[in-house]
Amino acid sequence: MEKIGVFYGSTGGRTEAVVKKLQHFFPNNECEFFDVAKGISEIKNFNNIILATPSYGAGDIQDDWAGNLSNLEAIDFSDKTIGLIGCGDQYSFGAFYVGGLRELYNVLERKNASVVGFTESSGYEFDDSPAIKNGKFVGLVIDDSFDCNEILKRMATWAEEIKKSFK
Ligand SMILES: Cc1cc2nc3c(=O)[nH]c(=O)nc-3n(C[C@H](O)[C@H](O)[C@H](O)COP(=O)(O)O)c2cc1C
């Protein structure tokens, strides 16, 4: 399998800490990490891609990602496979849970990109989430402030799933 490009935005460092655990679940593949505050030009060099964002405001994508959405839109995704990760707080922002994840997905959907690794929304407590499509989250959803014990288990299951589609 080819190496994996992991692109994340992280205002407070939690999403960065989450994605940095990913290498553990891809022991045979190098994960390269990119903070999107420095841009997303490296995406073109990867076919296996993971994009991660927390949510701010009322379910909005993180600021550094917001500044890069037009760059994301300009990328040719024809040979690329993408897994998405959304970090959020289900109890404090339960009406807009991981809304930023949906903003990433919307761009990729418009581009007909291959997004893999949708997950069940059971096991979380929230009122509503823009990141649900046809009953599933459009990626891996992590609430790092509450369900710490679940994080590694969820990451492991998700990593196994998206590996099947990575090149
Ligand atoms: C001002 C503020 C607004 C937030 N809004 C949302 C939100 O709308 N939806 C959500 O799921 N989480 C929301 N969160 C929770 C963050 O997304 C969560 O803490 C995340 O782990 C932060 O990631 P970071 O440290 O990488 O920036 C908010 C947090 C703050 C401080």
Side-chain angles (χ1 to χ4, degrees):
M1 210 168 88
E2 298 172 21
K3 63 185 176 173
I4 301 163
V6 182
F7 296 82
Y8 64 89
S10 188
T11 303
R14 288 174 184 267
T15 305
E16 179 175 23
V18 166
V19 299
K20 292 279 170 77
K21 297 187 211 303
L22 281 169
Q23 182 66 74
H24 178 72
F25 301 103
F26 297 96
N28 303 320
N29 309 90
E30 186 189 351
C31 291
E32 277 189 49
F33 297 93
F34 300 92
D35 183 341
V36 302
K38 296 178 187 140
I40 61 168
S41 59
E42 298 279 345
I43 288 186
K44 63 180 181 307
N45 300 326
F46 294 88
N47 287 321
N48 300 332
I49 295 168
I50 293 173
L51 309 180
T53 185
S55 295
Y56 281 93
D60 301 327
I61 198 164
Q62 189 259 357
D63 280 352
D64 299 316
W65 265 121
N68 274 296
L69 285 182
S70 56
N71 296 330
L72 193 66
E73 194 101 40
I75 289 168
D76 175 5
F77 285 99
S78 7
D79 292 322
K80 303 188 186 302
T81 304
I82 303 122
L84 301 177
I85 298 178
C87 292
D89 177 342
Q90 63 197 312
Y91 295 109
S92 307
F93 302 93
F96 307 99
Y97 189 41
V98 291
L101 177 59
R102 185 61 186 244
E103 291 188 55
L104 279 181
Y105 178 78
N106 284 346
V107 173
L108 298 167
E109 186 183 38
R110 271 201 300 279
K111 301 281 298 180
N112 282 320
S114 170
V115 180
V116 296
F118 283 31
T119 60
E120 300 293 338
S121 61
S122 55
Y124 301 83
E125 290 180 40
F126 59 96
D127 295 328
D128 203 0
S129 171
I132 290 182
K133 185 185 177 191
N134 300 331
K136 284 188 161 188
F137 285 128
V138 296
L140 172 66
V141 166
I142 301 284
D143 187 335
D144 58 298
S145 49
F146 287 94
D147 51 14
C148 303
N149 295 332
E150 286 299 310
I151 291 176
L152 296 178
K153 238 190 303 177
R154 284 181 172 142
M155 289 181 88
T157 306
W158 182 77
E160 285 311 309
E161 181 61 30
I162 66 170
K163 244 179 234 176
K164 293 179 201 159
S165 306
F166 274 176
K167 296 173 181 73

